[in-house]
Amino acid sequence: MLLNSESYARIIDSLHDGLYFVDTNRVITYWNKAAERISGFSAAEVIGKSCADNLLTHVDGTGRSLCLGLCPLAACIADGADREAEVYLHHKDGHRVPVLVRVSTLKDPAGKVIGGIELFTDISNIQANNLRVIELEKLALLDNLTQLANRNYIERELQSRFEENRRLKIPFGILFIDIDYFKAVNDTYGHDTGDEVLRFIARTFVSNSRPFDLYGRWGGEEFLGIIRNINPDDLVHLGDRLRTLIEHSYVVHGDEKLHVTVSLGATSMKEGDTIESLIKRADTLLYESKRTGRNRLTLG
């Protein structure tokens, strides 16, 4: 049975993965429903625009923009070779979402390359976090603004990690995270914009966390991540990746891209630690990051 174009369109729109087409100038010509869901951008907002025009602005794990010479889709159109890569797209709400992208060329019936196709799969921890949110709401352990665990739940989780370490010797570390110059954001742009910044940073944690780690709002512009079964080197790598993703993300305020950075203190649970001593050490390390220039991580 032959399918007509309407049938093909319905099939493409029912895909779980995001799919879009571009012409040879990388101007978007098609955008499916899953692309809308994963990115937050509607088809009407992106069709006719370049994918680099304040839209997905893919970056790699080090924060390098892939729209400036490193784009897998552009390379595919240029040489005809299919590619696959893990990148971080810019969501409309400001945060970065890790996606697996697969790109190939789009050809006319004569075999001439007329554009490219990108299929992208959300590989974030969104679904696991949604289940966690439901459970936390039931227990009144959720921060309403960011949808992260609140301070009470963080303290419970820390107690569980200490008990797990005592019984099973499973190591863990924490990341104490603070938004740099957050008061200036509120004073300059207003508290509604400040709240949006808090939410996009929270979504960055959720989208880029492992299912068995937990991030919560400690208070104000401070967050705390509890990272299970990790050594100090990997804790630094994970914390720096989050820092870099936040640095290269933004929320749109009018015609302006609003960027913020975070400072971090990172430490692992040590023999003789209590919850209080662990948090105090991480807090001291955080303020060392502030003292030495901000937008950095200090390990101790």
Side-chain angles (χ1 to χ4, degrees):
M1 179 181 67
L2 295 177
L3 298 177
N4 58 31
S5 58
E6 185 178 334
S7 298
Y8 279 118
R10 282 200 303 270
I11 291 170
I12 291 173
D13 264 342
S14 69
L15 291 174
H16 178 73
D17 295 331
L19 178 72
Y20 68 99
F21 303 161
V22 299
D23 63 18
T24 52
N25 294 316
R26 283 193 293 153
V27 172
I28 297 170
T29 59
Y30 179 79
W31 191 257
N32 78 344
K33 295 294 185 184
E36 293 185 326
R37 173 177 51 80
I38 295 169
S39 72
F41 290 101
S42 69
E45 290 175 296
V46 301
I47 290 176
K49 296 182 180 179
S50 167
C51 54
D53 288 341
N54 226 13
L55 298 174
L56 303 185
T57 55
H58 293 342
V59 299
D60 64 15
T62 66
R64 292 185 303 169
S65 173
L66 301 186
C67 297
L68 303 175
L70 301 169
C71 174
L73 190 53
C76 173
I77 293 172
D79 64 17
D82 293 352
R83 285 173 170 80
E84 183 174 299
E86 290 187 15
V87 303
Y88 300 84
L89 66 77
H90 167 70
H91 191 279
K92 183 180 178 180
D93 290 337
H95 60 290
R96 291 285 175 181
V97 178
V99 292
L100 175 66
V101 302
R102 284 152 287 183
V103 297
S104 59
T105 53
L106 185 63
K107 299 179 180 179
D108 67 12
K112 179 183 177 182
V113 174
I114 58 172
I117 303 170
E118 179 172 311
L119 187 72
F120 58 97
T121 304
D122 184 350
I123 54 174
S124 71
N125 189 33
I126 295 286
Q127 287 188 324
N129 187 73
N130 286 342
L131 294 174
R132 177 179 283 158
V133 165
I134 293 170
E135 290 303 312
L136 295 183
E137 283 177 335
K138 291 177 183 177
L139 298 169
L141 295 171
L142 187 73
D143 176 68
N144 290 330
L145 177 64
T146 63
Q147 297 291 288
L148 296 180
N150 65 17
R151 186 166 180 158
N152 287 336
Y153 188 78
I154 294 170
E155 291 174 343
R156 291 189 187 190
E157 183 73 5
L158 282 170
Q159 187 61 50
S160 296
R161 299 288 71 76
F162 269 90
E163 291 173 0
E164 181 181 63
N165 178 266
R166 185 174 62 251
R167 289 184 292 106
L168 303 173
K169 304 302 181 185
I170 296 176
F172 74 95
I174 65 172
L175 297 170
F176 210 162
I177 307 157
D178 185 87
I179 305 172
D180 297 324
Y181 301 114
F182 185 67
K183 183 178 184 300
V185 173
N186 280 331
D187 291 347
T188 304
Y189 299 98
H191 287 275
D192 286 347
T193 300
D195 287 350
E196 187 55 38
V197 168
L198 289 169
R199 283 191 288 265
F200 108 69
I201 287 178
R203 287 189 291 262
T204 300
F205 298 148
V206 169
S207 297
N208 297 282
S209 66
R210 304 177 303 177
F212 43 84
D213 297 331
L214 179 127
Y215 291 87
R217 187 181 180 193
W218 189 248
E221 64 269 30
E222 291 183 331
F223 300 87
L224 196 144
I226 303 172
I227 316 300
R228 296 175 67 187
N229 197 23
I230 197 164
N231 61 46
D233 288 343
D234 288 340
L235 184 64
V236 169
H237 177 76
L238 187 153
D240 266 333
R241 186 181 68 192
L242 292 173
R243 180 188 59 77
T244 300
L245 289 173
I246 291 168
E247 179 186 6
H248 291 90
S249 301
Y250 53 87
V251 293
V252 177
H253 180 79
D255 295 329
E256 182 180 354
K257 290 182 181 178
L258 176 57
H259 293 266
V260 296
T261 60
V262 294
S263 298
L264 301 91
T267 190
S268 298
M269 181 262 179
K270 300 177 181 179
E271 189 70 31
D273 260 336
T274 63
I275 292 177
E276 291 76 17
S277 68
L278 181 66
I279 292 175
K280 183 177 180 180
R281 186 166 64 250
D283 186 53
T284 300
L285 294 163
L286 164 63
Y287 279 93
E288 179 64 14
S289 293
K290 296 276 191 182
R291 188 187 68 80
T292 53
R294 293 179 166 80
N295 189 25
R296 63 188 61 203
L297 179 150
T298 304
L299 175 71

PDB file of all heavy atoms in Angstrom, residues 16-38:
ATOM      1  N   HIS A  16       8.382   9.687  18.692  1.00  0.00           N
ATOM      2  CA  HIS A  16       8.774  10.091  20.045  1.00  0.00           C
ATOM      3  C   HIS A  16       9.970  11.052  19.994  1.00  0.00           C
ATOM      4  O   HIS A  16      10.145  11.889  20.876  1.00  0.00           O
ATOM      5  CB  HIS A  16       9.133   8.863  20.874  1.00  0.00           C
ATOM      6  CG  HIS A  16       9.584   9.180  22.262  1.00  0.00           C
ATOM      7  ND1 HIS A  16       8.728   9.595  23.261  1.00  0.00           N
ATOM      8  CD2 HIS A  16      10.829   9.158  22.830  1.00  0.00           C
ATOM      9  CE1 HIS A  16       9.411   9.813  24.370  1.00  0.00           C
ATOM     10  NE2 HIS A  16      10.684   9.556  24.137  1.00  0.00           N
ATOM     11  N   ASP A  17      10.798  10.935  18.956  1.00  0.00           N
ATOM     12  CA  ASP A  17      11.997  11.762  18.818  1.00  0.00           C
ATOM     13  C   ASP A  17      11.699  13.032  18.036  1.00  0.00           C
ATOM     14  O   ASP A  17      10.830  13.062  17.154  1.00  0.00           O
ATOM     15  CB  ASP A  17      13.097  10.983  18.094  1.00  0.00           C
ATOM     16  CG  ASP A  17      13.588   9.792  18.889  1.00  0.00           C
ATOM     17  OD1 ASP A  17      13.532   9.856  20.129  1.00  0.00           O
ATOM     18  OD2 ASP A  17      14.025   8.802  18.279  1.00  0.00           O
ATOM     19  N   GLY A  18      12.463  14.080  18.346  1.00  0.00           N
ATOM     20  CA  GLY A  18      12.358  15.313  17.596  1.00  0.00           C
ATOM     21  C   GLY A  18      12.947  15.145  16.205  1.00  0.00           C
ATOM     22  O   GLY A  18      13.957  14.460  16.028  1.00  0.00           O
ATOM     23  N   LEU A  19      12.305  15.754  15.227  1.00  0.00           N
ATOM     24  CA  LEU A  19      12.774  15.659  13.852  1.00  0.00           C
ATOM     25  C   LEU A  19      12.583  17.004  13.172  1.00  0.00           C
ATOM     26  O   LEU A  19      11.510  17.622  13.295  1.00  0.00           O
ATOM     27  CB  LEU A  19      11.988  14.597  13.093  1.00  0.00           C
ATOM     28  CG  LEU A  19      12.337  14.413  11.610  1.00  0.00           C
ATOM     29  CD1 LEU A  19      13.695  13.731  11.461  1.00  0.00           C
ATOM     30  CD2 LEU A  19      11.256  13.606  10.896  1.00  0.00           C
ATOM     31  N   TYR A  20      13.624  17.471  12.498  1.00  0.00           N
ATOM     32  CA  TYR A  20      13.448  18.674  11.688  1.00  0.00           C
ATOM     33  C   TYR A  20      14.285  18.598  10.426  1.00  0.00           C
ATOM     34  O   TYR A  20      15.270  17.870  10.348  1.00  0.00           O
ATOM     35  CB  TYR A  20      13.734  19.950  12.487  1.00  0.00           C
ATOM     36  CG  TYR A  20      15.153  20.202  12.929  1.00  0.00           C
ATOM     37  CD1 TYR A  20      15.984  21.064  12.204  1.00  0.00           C
ATOM     38  CD2 TYR A  20      15.658  19.647  14.102  1.00  0.00           C
ATOM     39  CE1 TYR A  20      17.274  21.340  12.627  1.00  0.00           C
ATOM     40  CE2 TYR A  20      16.945  19.919  14.532  1.00  0.00           C
ATOM     41  CZ  TYR A  20      17.748  20.771  13.793  1.00  0.00           C
ATOM     42  OH  TYR A  20      19.028  21.047  14.208  1.00  0.00           O
ATOM     43  N   PHE A  21      13.839  19.365   9.404  1.00  0.00           N
ATOM     44  CA  PHE A  21      14.512  19.456   8.117  1.00  0.00           C
ATOM     45  C   PHE A  21      15.057  20.863   7.959  1.00  0.00           C
ATOM     46  O   PHE A  21      14.454  21.830   8.432  1.00  0.00           O
ATOM     47  CB  PHE A  21      13.550  19.181   6.950  1.00  0.00           C
ATOM     48  CG  PHE A  21      12.839  17.860   6.984  1.00  0.00           C
ATOM     49  CD1 PHE A  21      11.685  17.669   6.239  1.00  0.00           C
ATOM     50  CD2 PHE A  21      13.305  16.800   7.751  1.00  0.00           C
ATOM     51  CE1 PHE A  21      11.010  16.465   6.259  1.00  0.00           C
ATOM     52  CE2 PHE A  21      12.646  15.582   7.779  1.00  0.00           C
ATOM     53  CZ  PHE A  21      11.487  15.416   7.030  1.00  0.00           C
ATOM     54  N   VAL A  22      16.193  20.969   7.273  1.00  0.00           N
ATOM     55  CA  VAL A  22      16.745  22.276   6.924  1.00  0.00           C
ATOM     56  C   VAL A  22      17.132  22.271   5.448  1.00  0.00           C
ATOM     57  O   VAL A  22      17.357  21.212   4.856  1.00  0.00           O
ATOM     58  CB  VAL A  22      17.993  22.632   7.779  1.00  0.00           C
ATOM     59  CG1 VAL A  22      17.654  22.692   9.251  1.00  0.00           C
ATOM     60  CG2 VAL A  22      19.144  21.642   7.534  1.00  0.00           C
ATOM     61  N   ASP A  23      17.214  23.495   4.861  1.00  0.00           N
ATOM     62  CA  ASP A  23      17.739  23.591   3.509  1.00  0.00           C
ATOM     63  C   ASP A  23      19.262  23.701   3.567  1.00  0.00           C
ATOM     64  O   ASP A  23      19.864  23.564   4.640  1.00  0.00           O
ATOM     65  CB  ASP A  23      17.098  24.763   2.758  1.00  0.00           C
ATOM     66  CG  ASP A  23      17.399  26.126   3.370  1.00  0.00           C
ATOM     67  OD1 ASP A  23      18.363  26.238   4.169  1.00  0.00           O
ATOM     68  OD2 ASP A  23      16.671  27.089   3.060  1.00  0.00           O
ATOM     69  N   THR A  24      19.899  23.947   2.448  1.00  0.00           N
ATOM     70  CA  THR A  24      21.368  23.961   2.416  1.00  0.00           C
ATOM     71  C   THR A  24      21.965  25.128   3.198  1.00  0.00           C
ATOM     72  O   THR A  24      23.156  25.111   3.515  1.00  0.00           O
ATOM     73  CB  THR A  24      21.876  24.012   0.963  1.00  0.00           C
ATOM     74  OG1 THR A  24      21.240  25.100   0.283  1.00  0.00           O
ATOM     75  CG2 THR A  24      21.582  22.710   0.245  1.00  0.00           C
ATOM     76  N   ASN A  25      21.142  26.129   3.532  1.00  0.00           N
ATOM     77  CA  ASN A  25      21.604  27.251   4.374  1.00  0.00           C
ATOM     78  C   ASN A  25      21.260  27.026   5.842  1.00  0.00           C
ATOM     79  O   ASN A  25      21.384  27.936   6.655  1.00  0.00           O
ATOM     80  CB  ASN A  25      20.991  28.562   3.889  1.00  0.00           C
ATOM     81  CG  ASN A  25      21.480  28.954   2.508  1.00  0.00           C
ATOM     82  OD1 ASN A  25      22.671  28.861   2.217  1.00  0.00           O
ATOM     83  ND2 ASN A  25      20.551  29.358   1.650  1.00  0.00           N
ATOM     84  N   ARG A  26      20.785  25.834   6.138  1.00  0.00           N
ATOM     85  CA  ARG A  26      20.374  25.443   7.498  1.00  0.00           C
ATOM     86  C   ARG A  26      19.196  26.263   8.016  1.00  0.00           C
ATOM     87  O   ARG A  26      19.058  26.509   9.209  1.00  0.00           O
ATOM     88  CB  ARG A  26      21.548  25.477   8.478  1.00  0.00           C
ATOM     89  CG  ARG A  26      22.468  24.278   8.323  1.00  0.00           C
ATOM     90  CD  ARG A  26      23.433  24.167   9.478  1.00  0.00           C
ATOM     91  NE  ARG A  26      24.385  25.272   9.479  1.00  0.00           N
ATOM     92  CZ  ARG A  26      24.984  25.738  10.556  1.00  0.00           C
ATOM     93  NH1 ARG A  26      24.735  25.208  11.734  1.00  0.00           N
ATOM     94  NH2 ARG A  26      25.853  26.727  10.469  1.00  0.00           N
ATOM     95  N   VAL A  27      18.342  26.694   7.096  1.00  0.00           N
ATOM     96  CA  VAL A  27      17.074  27.316   7.471  1.00  0.00           C
ATOM     97  C   VAL A  27      16.049  26.203   7.666  1.00  0.00           C
ATOM     98  O   VAL A  27      15.915  25.307   6.823  1.00  0.00           O
ATOM     99  CB  VAL A  27      16.594  28.304   6.391  1.00  0.00           C
ATOM    100  CG1 VAL A  27      15.176  28.811   6.697  1.00  0.00           C
ATOM    101  CG2 VAL A  27      17.567  29.474   6.290  1.00  0.00           C
ATOM    102  N   ILE A  28      15.354  26.223   8.794  1.00  0.00           N
ATOM    103  CA  ILE A  28      14.434  25.140   9.161  1.00  0.00           C
ATOM    104  C   ILE A  28      13.189  25.188   8.288  1.00  0.00           C
ATOM    105  O   ILE A  28      12.530  26.225   8.166  1.00  0.00           O
ATOM    106  CB  ILE A  28      14.060  25.239  10.654  1.00  0.00           C
ATOM    107  CG1 ILE A  28      15.321  25.057  11.514  1.00  0.00           C
ATOM    108  CG2 ILE A  28      13.002  24.196  11.018  1.00  0.00           C
ATOM    109  CD1 ILE A  28      15.126  25.376  12.985  1.00  0.00           C
ATOM    110  N   THR A  29      12.862  24.035   7.688  1.00  0.00           N
ATOM    111  CA  THR A  29      11.692  23.942   6.811  1.00  0.00           C
ATOM    112  C   THR A  29      10.597  23.033   7.362  1.00  0.00           C
ATOM    113  O   THR A  29       9.462  23.074   6.887  1.00  0.00           O
ATOM    114  CB  THR A  29      12.112  23.417   5.422  1.00  0.00           C
ATOM    115  OG1 THR A  29      12.727  22.121   5.564  1.00  0.00           O
ATOM    116  CG2 THR A  29      13.107  24.379   4.758  1.00  0.00           C
ATOM    117  N   TYR A  30      10.934  22.207   8.349  1.00  0.00           N
ATOM    118  CA  TYR A  30       9.932  21.331   8.975  1.00  0.00           C
ATOM    119  C   TYR A  30      10.334  21.067  10.419  1.00  0.00           C
ATOM    120  O   TYR A  30      11.530  20.957  10.721  1.00  0.00           O
ATOM    121  CB  TYR A  30       9.803  19.995   8.220  1.00  0.00           C
ATOM    122  CG  TYR A  30       8.791  19.075   8.855  1.00  0.00           C
ATOM    123  CD1 TYR A  30       7.431  19.242   8.642  1.00  0.00           C
ATOM    124  CD2 TYR A  30       9.188  18.071   9.735  1.00  0.00           C
ATOM    125  CE1 TYR A  30       6.485  18.430   9.253  1.00  0.00           C
ATOM    126  CE2 TYR A  30       8.257  17.246  10.355  1.00  0.00           C
ATOM    127  CZ  TYR A  30       6.908  17.436  10.110  1.00  0.00           C
ATOM    128  OH  TYR A  30       5.988  16.645  10.736  1.00  0.00           O
ATOM    129  N   TRP A  31       9.331  20.936  11.294  1.00  0.00           N
ATOM    130  CA  TRP A  31       9.565  20.786  12.740  1.00  0.00           C
ATOM    131  C   TRP A  31       8.436  19.952  13.299  1.00  0.00           C
ATOM    132  O   TRP A  31       7.280  20.376  13.271  1.00  0.00           O
ATOM    133  CB  TRP A  31       9.565  22.195  13.352  1.00  0.00           C
ATOM    134  CG  TRP A  31      10.021  22.347  14.770  1.00  0.00           C
ATOM    135  CD1 TRP A  31       9.233  22.530  15.870  1.00  0.00           C
ATOM    136  CD2 TRP A  31      11.368  22.426  15.241  1.00  0.00           C
ATOM    137  NE1 TRP A  31       9.995  22.698  16.990  1.00  0.00           N
ATOM    138  CE2 TRP A  31      11.308  22.641  16.641  1.00  0.00           C
ATOM    139  CE3 TRP A  31      12.615  22.320  14.619  1.00  0.00           C
ATOM    140  CZ2 TRP A  31      12.458  22.755  17.422  1.00  0.00           C
ATOM    141  CZ3 TRP A  31      13.743  22.445  15.394  1.00  0.00           C
ATOM    142  CH2 TRP A  31      13.674  22.657  16.772  1.00  0.00           C
ATOM    143  N   ASN A  32       8.714  18.748  13.799  1.00  0.00           N
ATOM    144  CA  ASN A  32       7.617  17.875  14.210  1.00  0.00           C
ATOM    145  C   ASN A  32       7.174  18.148  15.652  1.00  0.00           C
ATOM    146  O   ASN A  32       7.754  18.968  16.373  1.00  0.00           O
ATOM    147  CB  ASN A  32       7.955  16.396  13.973  1.00  0.00           C
ATOM    148  CG  ASN A  32       8.886  15.808  15.030  1.00  0.00           C
ATOM    149  OD1 ASN A  32       9.533  16.525  15.784  1.00  0.00           O
ATOM    150  ND2 ASN A  32       8.970  14.481  15.065  1.00  0.00           N
ATOM    151  N   LYS A  33       6.118  17.440  16.069  1.00  0.00           N
ATOM    152  CA  LYS A  33       5.528  17.679  17.402  1.00  0.00           C
ATOM    153  C   LYS A  33       6.504  17.341  18.527  1.00  0.00           C
ATOM    154  O   LYS A  33       6.554  18.022  19.549  1.00  0.00           O
ATOM    155  CB  LYS A  33       4.247  16.846  17.563  1.00  0.00           C
ATOM    156  CG  LYS A  33       3.123  17.241  16.634  1.00  0.00           C
ATOM    157  CD  LYS A  33       2.611  18.635  16.946  1.00  0.00           C
ATOM    158  CE  LYS A  33       1.408  18.978  16.079  1.00  0.00           C
ATOM    159  NZ  LYS A  33       0.963  20.375  16.297  1.00  0.00           N
ATOM    160  N   ALA A  34       7.281  16.265  18.357  1.00  0.00           N
ATOM    161  CA  ALA A  34       8.244  15.896  19.404  1.00  0.00           C
ATOM    162  C   ALA A  34       9.336  16.949  19.528  1.00  0.00           C
ATOM    163  O   ALA A  34       9.828  17.213  20.633  1.00  0.00           O
ATOM    164  CB  ALA A  34       8.852  14.527  19.109  1.00  0.00           C
ATOM    165  N   ALA A  35       9.722  17.573  18.408  1.00  0.00           N
ATOM    166  CA  ALA A  35      10.697  18.659  18.470  1.00  0.00           C
ATOM    167  C   ALA A  35      10.141  19.818  19.295  1.00  0.00           C
ATOM    168  O   ALA A  35      10.864  20.460  20.072  1.00  0.00           O
ATOM    169  CB  ALA A  35      11.058  19.127  17.059  1.00  0.00           C
ATOM    170  N   GLU A  36       8.847  20.085  19.152  1.00  0.00           N
ATOM    171  CA  GLU A  36       8.199  21.123  19.963  1.00  0.00           C
ATOM    172  C   GLU A  36       8.258  20.763  21.446  1.00  0.00           C
ATOM    173  O   GLU A  36       8.584  21.600  22.291  1.00  0.00           O
ATOM    174  CB  GLU A  36       6.741  21.302  19.525  1.00  0.00           C
ATOM    175  CG  GLU A  36       6.563  21.880  18.133  1.00  0.00           C
ATOM    176  CD  GLU A  36       5.101  22.147  17.791  1.00  0.00           C
ATOM    177  OE1 GLU A  36       4.231  21.373  18.239  1.00  0.00           O
ATOM    178  OE2 GLU A  36       4.834  23.119  17.079  1.00  0.00           O
ATOM    179  N   ARG A  37       7.930  19.494  21.740  1.00  0.00           N
ATOM    180  CA  ARG A  37       7.888  19.061  23.141  1.00  0.00           C
ATOM    181  C   ARG A  37       9.273  19.096  23.788  1.00  0.00           C
ATOM    182  O   ARG A  37       9.426  19.571  24.918  1.00  0.00           O
ATOM    183  CB  ARG A  37       7.310  17.642  23.214  1.00  0.00           C
ATOM    184  CG  ARG A  37       7.362  17.008  24.597  1.00  0.00           C
ATOM    185  CD  ARG A  37       6.711  15.629  24.597  1.00  0.00           C
ATOM    186  NE  ARG A  37       7.215  14.770  23.539  1.00  0.00           N
ATOM    187  CZ  ARG A  37       8.367  14.099  23.607  1.00  0.00           C
ATOM    188  NH1 ARG A  37       9.145  14.209  24.686  1.00  0.00           N
ATOM    189  NH2 ARG A  37       8.753  13.313  22.620  1.00  0.00           N
ATOM    190  N   ILE A  38      10.287  18.601  23.090  1.00  0.00           N
ATOM    191  CA  ILE A  38      11.624  18.499  23.680  1.00  0.00           C
ATOM    192  C   ILE A  38      12.286  19.870  23.817  1.00  0.00           C
ATOM    193  O   ILE A  38      12.966  20.143  24.808  1.00  0.00           O
ATOM    194  CB  ILE A  38      12.514  17.558  22.830  1.00  0.00           C
ATOM    195  CG1 ILE A  38      11.958  16.123  22.885  1.00  0.00           C
ATOM    196  CG2 ILE A  38      13.958  17.573  23.330  1.00  0.00           C
ATOM    197  CD1 ILE A  38      12.606  15.178  21.881  1.00  0.00           C
TER     198      ILE A  38
END
